[in-house]
């Protein structure tokens, strides 16, 4: 298709006009970055990003992540102009209850949004996970003849993301791994909410990223789309390093408040909008949220052209499938592992002797490594303690992208973001591991996993004061309460191998954010423990003959003393029921008549403290 410079410029200004009008109508939002970064984003989407607006989930599309989530109108304007399912009415509904255009981009709410962003830094950190996923799947499934996985991960961010520590953690790892298909675009307007970055951010970002092993490119003016295009080509040409393109821009470009922090997060006001549109040469009498007809036609043509990339890919995919049926089956199982086979396999449930649940977890991971081809993960430098060593896996490294053991380094927050990124990418069941006490370092990413409803899995060992000798700094006390309080996050504290296996099974089956809190110390393997019961969150572990006078509820390592107490009281003639609750979140989701849940709160209960307990309406948990 013939490119038309004038219409390209009109499209850039359309992004600007749509964005400022939407923020004005909502009377809240962030117009500044949309005005400044519009040419960067348009150049990328129109001339470099491989995507098909008619099929936003096409697997081999390039991924675009707006790490500066506050500039959501920039993304919504792009989605609208490129023909995704975001209408002019949706733009007018910006920031309204249940609209497709929420304040910050939300995965699953808006077609074409690859990730929920807004908490600064996490978009860039998770982009590293997307790039790992691409590199890994490409290494395993591409052949000499056919490349079915071949896409880039682009991330657009501002000064704010680079001030967040998590981008340092993740970018350092990306450099080490030489993730050359990761391209970050830094909209460097040198303004954050409080004013100039001189107030708090004077480092040389260029040198910093070079030190991480990235290629750093510079564009002197965000309006120079040719230079942006050339930099993007140069970034793509590098096949050993991730790239950062630093683009100098002006926040609030074109408005009377250009360059001022006032444009960061406030509507411009009617008069400023008028003047901005005049300066940009935007037709003033065009109603808000509409674009000129000739631009509409031009963009429709562009969309058709973009779609051709998928048509070509489909042909490659069909040929690849025919030539590599075994590989194709494995690829499909990366998306849909045979969970039923696992569930029905006695070997999956086979545990014996005294065993720490971290050891049981290691046994399960090694089992799953043979059955779940998309399983990938590792630890934040605690593999020997977390028992996450998988015999069948090699390490993922710059030299070996087909490796399935990740070494995140001592970077818990980045690890959690990267796990989210890999799971968002698709085709992988990604996990991370560390000590439970260090989950504090990961919390913001767990929150995003919960909001995005991701199957991110975290193996967190050394789960109580049972840790012992390491002392107070390593003894988790309040962490479990925090995790249990997190919505849409399922925290398992299993008592033995079977309960541990069930927790992994839950994650695979239900595709929900899952936490495993596992012991360092050995625990018995119980005959009466139940995988099925665990999948209900809790079950009667040891019952009494008549109506119970007392119900003891226990989890994890406390099941052992609870069982001893139950037996002793039984010997004394008391009717005591023991209930194991490996996952309180799931347990409380059961119907009221499940185990007489409604009566539990009224029943006499007993609790053993080795960590903070939480009082919940329905029961008191040990
Ligand atoms: C973790 C986190 N801390 C604070 C904020 C609030 N916040 C939103 S935007 C912003 C400043 C971002 O500056 P920059 O990235 O330069 O964006 P620009 O000013 O160019 O729009 C802050 C502090 C946030 N969204 N996330």
């Amino acid at each position: 298709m013939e490119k038309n410079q004038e219409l390209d410029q009109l499209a850039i200004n359309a992004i600007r006009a749509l964005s400022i009008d939407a923020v004005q109508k909502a009377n809240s939002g962030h117009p500044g970055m949309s005005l400044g970064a519009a040419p960067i984003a348009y150049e990328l989407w129109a001339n470099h990003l491989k995507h098909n607006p008619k099929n936003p989930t096409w697997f081999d599309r390039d991924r675009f992540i707006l790490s500066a989530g506050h500039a959501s109108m920039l993304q919504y304007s792009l989605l609208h102009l490129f023909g995704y399912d975001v209408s002019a009415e949706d733009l007018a509904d910006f920031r309204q209850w249940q609209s497709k255009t929420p304040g910050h981009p939300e995965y699953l709410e808006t077609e074409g949004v690859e990730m929920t962003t807004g908490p600064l830094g996490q978009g860039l950190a998770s982009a590293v996970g997307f790039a790992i996923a691409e590199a890994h799947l490409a290494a395993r499934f591409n052949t000499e003849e056919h490349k079915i996985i071949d896409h880039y991960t682009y991330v657009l961010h501002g000064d704010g993301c680079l001030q967040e520590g998590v981008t340092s953690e993740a970018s350092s790892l990306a450099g080490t791994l030489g993730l050359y298909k990761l391209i970050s675009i830094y909209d460097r307007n040198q303004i954050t909410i409080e004013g100039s970055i001189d107030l708090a951010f004077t480092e040389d970002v260029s040198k910093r990223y070079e030190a991480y092993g990235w290629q750093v490119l510079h564009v002197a003016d965000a309006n120079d789309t040719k230079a942006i295009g050339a930099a993007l080509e140069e970034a793509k040409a590098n096949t050993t390093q991730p790239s950062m393109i630093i683009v100098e821009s002006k926040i609030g470009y074109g408005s009377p408040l250009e360059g001022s922090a006032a444009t960061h997060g406030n509507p411009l006001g009617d008069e400023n909008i008028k003047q901005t549109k005049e300066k940009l040469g935007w037709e003033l009498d065009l109603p808000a949220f509409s674009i000129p007809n000739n631009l509409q036609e031009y963009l429709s043509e562009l969309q058709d052209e973009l779609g051709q990339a998928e048509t070509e890919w489909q042909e490659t995919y069909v040929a690849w499938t025919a030539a590599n049926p075994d590989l194709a089956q494995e690829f499909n199982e990366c998306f849909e592992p045979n969970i039923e086979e696992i569930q029905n396999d006695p070997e999956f449930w086979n545990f014996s002797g005294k065993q720490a649940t971290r050891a049981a977890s290691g046994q399960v991971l090694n089992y799953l490594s043979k059955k779940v081809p998309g399983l990938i993960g590792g630890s934040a430098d605690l593999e020997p303690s977390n028992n996450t060593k998988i015999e069948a896996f090699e390490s993922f490294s710059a030299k070996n992208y087909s490796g399935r053991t990740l070494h995140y380094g001592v970077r818990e927050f980045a690890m959690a973001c990267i796990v989210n990124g890999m799971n968002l990418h698709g085709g992988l069941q990604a996990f991370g591991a560390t000590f439970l006490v260090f989950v504090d370092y990961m919390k913001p990413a767990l929150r995003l996993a919960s909001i995005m409803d991701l199957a991110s899995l975290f193996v967190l060992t050394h789960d109580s004061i049972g840790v012992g000798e390491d002392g107070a700094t390593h003894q988790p006390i309040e962490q479990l309460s925090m995790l249990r309080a997190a919505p849409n996050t399922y925290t398992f504290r299993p008592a033995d191998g079977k309960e541990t296996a069930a927790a992994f099974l839950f994650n695979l089956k239900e595709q929900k954010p899952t936490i495993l809190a596992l012991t360092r110390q050995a625990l018995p393997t119980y005959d009466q423990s139940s995988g099925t019961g665990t999948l209900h969150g809790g079950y009667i572990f040891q019952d009494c003959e008549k109506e119970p006078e007392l119900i003891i509820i226990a989890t994890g390592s406390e099941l052992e003393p609870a069982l001893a107490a139950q037996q002793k009281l039984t010997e004394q003639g008391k009717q005591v029921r023991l209930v194991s609750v490996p996952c309180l979140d799931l347990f409380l989701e059961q119907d009221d008549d499940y185990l007489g849940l409604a009566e539990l709160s009224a029943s006499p209960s007993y609790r053993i403290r080795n960590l903070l307990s939480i009082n919940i309406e329905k029961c008191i948990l040990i």
Side-chain angles (χ1 to χ4, degrees):
M1 156 192 172
E2 223 13 55
K3 285 282 155 68
N4 179 322
Q5 236 178 319
E6 232 172 82
L7 288 172
D8 285 333
Q9 188 56 51
L10 195 59
I12 291 168
N13 288 336
I15 295 173
R16 290 169 164 150
L18 295 170
S19 299
I20 57 179
D21 279 342
V23 172
Q24 189 62 32
K25 178 157 185 291
N27 199 23
S28 78
H30 302 76
M33 184 171 164
S34 299
L35 287 170
I40 307 174
Y42 180 75
E43 172 62 22
L44 173 66
W45 276 52
N47 299 320
H48 303 273
L49 193 76
K50 186 173 71 165
H51 61 136
N52 180 8
K54 295 193 177 70
N55 181 12
T57 57
W58 167 34
F59 193 66
D60 199 35
R61 69 193 182 279
D62 288 340
R63 307 305 200 261
F64 171 79
I65 296 146
L66 181 67
S67 194
H70 59 279
S72 51
M73 264 317 300
L74 175 67
Q75 188 159 16
Y76 300 145
S77 302
L78 287 165
L79 290 168
H80 174 63
L81 294 177
F82 280 83
Y84 286 80
D85 187 19
V86 175
S87 65
E89 292 73 37
D90 294 325
L91 295 183
D93 252 3
F94 180 49
R95 286 185 161 243
Q96 303 310 303
W97 175 240
Q98 290 196 325
S99 78
K100 268 189 215 166
T101 48
H104 293 82
E106 290 186 31
Y107 175 67
L108 301 179
E109 296 299 326
T110 315
E111 191 178 80
V113 169
E114 303 281 4
M115 172 181 176
T116 297
T117 53
L120 294 171
Q122 289 200 58
L124 175 47
S126 287
V128 176
F130 278 85
I132 290 174
E134 194 274 346
H136 177 70
L137 292 169
R140 279 175 63 187
F141 294 104
N142 287 345
T143 60
E144 291 268 304
E145 247 178 294
H146 302 110
K147 274 190 175 180
I148 56 153
I149 313 285
D150 186 16
H151 51 265
Y152 288 88
T153 302
Y154 294 99
V155 52
L156 178 60
H157 58 87
D159 305 293
C161 285
L162 294 183
Q163 293 176 30
E164 289 291 350
V166 72
T167 54
S168 299
E169 293 181 22
S171 300
S172 163
L173 182 61
T176 302
L177 295 172
L179 296 171
Y180 59 90
K181 283 166 116 178
L182 173 64
I183 299 175
S184 102
I185 310 174
Y186 171 17
D187 171 56
R188 187 170 183 271
N189 59 32
Q190 304 188 48
I191 295 287
T192 59
I193 292 179
E194 293 183 8
S196 163
I197 54 169
D198 290 346
L199 292 167
F201 189 56
T202 55
E203 74 198 31
D204 187 332
V205 172
S206 214
K207 283 192 184 146
R208 171 177 150 199
Y209 271 76
E210 277 163 19
Y212 290 151
W214 288 49
Q215 164 177 249
V216 181
L217 303 165
H218 293 268
V219 173
D221 177 4
N223 286 302
D224 186 349
T225 48
K226 269 212 180 94
I228 293 163
L232 285 165
E233 287 306 325
E234 206 176 329
K236 285 196 273 187
N238 188 320
T239 54
T240 54
Q241 297 170 292
S243 295
M244 173 177 277
I245 304 172
I246 303 181
V247 186
E248 304 295 334
S249 73
K250 289 237 163 67
I251 194 164
Y253 176 85
S255 78
L257 298 169
E258 180 179 296
S260 152
T263 67
H264 163 89
N266 303 300
L268 294 181
D270 290 331
E271 182 50 33
N272 283 334
I273 286 185
K274 187 166 159 268
Q275 288 188 33
T276 309
K277 288 182 177 174
E278 262 167 4
K279 174 134 190 242
L280 297 172
W282 188 255
E283 248 183 84
L284 279 183
D285 43 8
L286 205 62
F289 308 113
S290 59
I291 60 169
N293 286 338
N294 59 341
L295 178 60
Q296 187 68 63
E297 282 158 26
Y298 181 64
L299 291 171
S300 298
E301 227 183 299
L302 185 57
Q303 287 156 31
D304 290 340
E305 188 178 88
L306 286 168
Q308 283 166 23
E310 185 184 353
T311 312
E312 285 160 26
W313 179 85
Q314 290 290 358
E315 282 168 23
T316 311
Y317 184 74
V318 169
W320 171 83
T321 308
N324 310 282
D326 292 347
L327 214 51
Q329 190 184 335
E330 189 180 327
F331 186 59
N332 288 339
E333 282 178 14
C334 276
F335 295 85
E336 280 182 42
N338 192 340
I339 295 167
E340 224 179 281
E341 186 189 307
I342 296 168
Q343 186 161 6
N344 294 330
D345 184 357
E347 194 195 330
F348 179 64
W349 302 104
N350 188 17
F351 300 88
S352 59
K354 273 212 128 193
Q355 192 182 34
T357 49
R358 65 170 168 159
S361 160
Q363 183 181 321
V364 176
L365 275 171
N366 275 282
Y367 171 94
L368 292 177
S369 68
K370 294 173 208 125
K371 305 276 179 183
V372 181
L375 186 73
I376 186 169
S379 165
D381 201 42
L382 282 170
E383 179 205 80
S385 301
N386 298 147
N387 283 51
T388 45
K389 176 147 190 61
I390 298 178
E391 294 303 332
F393 290 0
E394 291 176 359
S395 292
F396 180 95
S397 71
K399 289 202 183 84
N400 182 12
Y401 285 154
S402 62
R404 288 163 72 183
T405 290
L406 288 162
H407 302 277
Y408 298 103
V410 192
R411 303 181 180 100
E412 294 81 8
F413 186 9
M415 169 176 75
C417 292
I418 289 167
V419 168
N420 286 348
M422 287 190 285
N423 285 325
L424 280 165
H425 177 277
L428 296 175
Q429 279 79 45
F431 72 92
T434 184
F435 288 155
L436 176 61
V437 76
F438 300 136
V439 76
D440 294 344
Y441 285 50
M442 299 160 49
K443 175 66 172 55
L446 298 184
R447 190 160 191 279
L448 276 196
S450 153
I451 291 175
M452 292 188 279
D453 199 24
L454 288 182
S456 293
L457 171 71
F458 297 100
V459 174
L460 305 177
T461 68
H462 298 55
D463 80 327
S464 73
I465 58 167
V467 167
E469 306 87 317
D470 270 335
T473 56
H474 284 52
Q475 294 171 352
I477 299 297
E478 72 282 19
Q479 282 72 15
L480 205 57
S481 296
M482 183 263 279
L483 291 168
R484 284 173 175 159
N488 196 34
T489 299
Y490 292 83
T491 303
F492 287 80
R493 188 164 185 262
D496 74 351
K498 251 180 281 170
E499 289 192 358
T500 306
F504 278 96
L505 189 66
F506 167 84
N507 174 256
L508 281 171
K509 268 174 99 120
E510 304 300 331
Q511 295 288 296
K512 292 280 179 192
T514 308
I515 308 284
L516 272 68
L518 305 170
T519 66
R520 172 195 183 216
Q521 71 274 28
L523 304 176
T525 294
Y526 301 101
D527 287 340
Q528 64 269 58
S529 62
S530 160
T532 315
T534 301
L535 291 172
H536 284 88
Y539 59 97
I540 295 173
F541 187 82
Q542 190 72 51
D543 213 352
C544 40
E545 280 172 7
K546 299 183 194 145
E547 271 300 293
E549 297 165 74
L550 177 72
I551 299 173
I552 302 177
I553 306 169
T555 80
S557 50
E558 278 49 65
L559 195 66
E560 193 179 5
L563 181 61
Q566 193 262 2
Q567 281 164 353
K568 203 160 199 174
L569 289 166
T570 305
E571 278 162 28
Q572 290 168 11
K574 303 267 185 253
Q575 297 298 320
V576 182
R577 172 180 290 169
L578 175 58
V579 177
S580 174
V581 182
C583 181
L584 183 65
D585 311 280
L586 256 182
F587 189 55
L588 293 179
E589 280 178 11
Q590 306 303 309
D591 296 340
D592 273 357
D593 55 2
Y594 181 71
L595 304 191
L597 198 54
E599 290 153 31
L600 280 182
S601 55
S603 312
S605 68
Y606 195 77
R607 91 185 101 134
I608 304 168
R609 273 182 190 237
N610 78 350
L611 65 168
L612 278 189
S613 60
I614 40 175
N615 293 307
I616 304 161
E617 280 179 304
K618 287 185 172 174
C619 64
I620 300 174
L621 187 87
I622 289 175

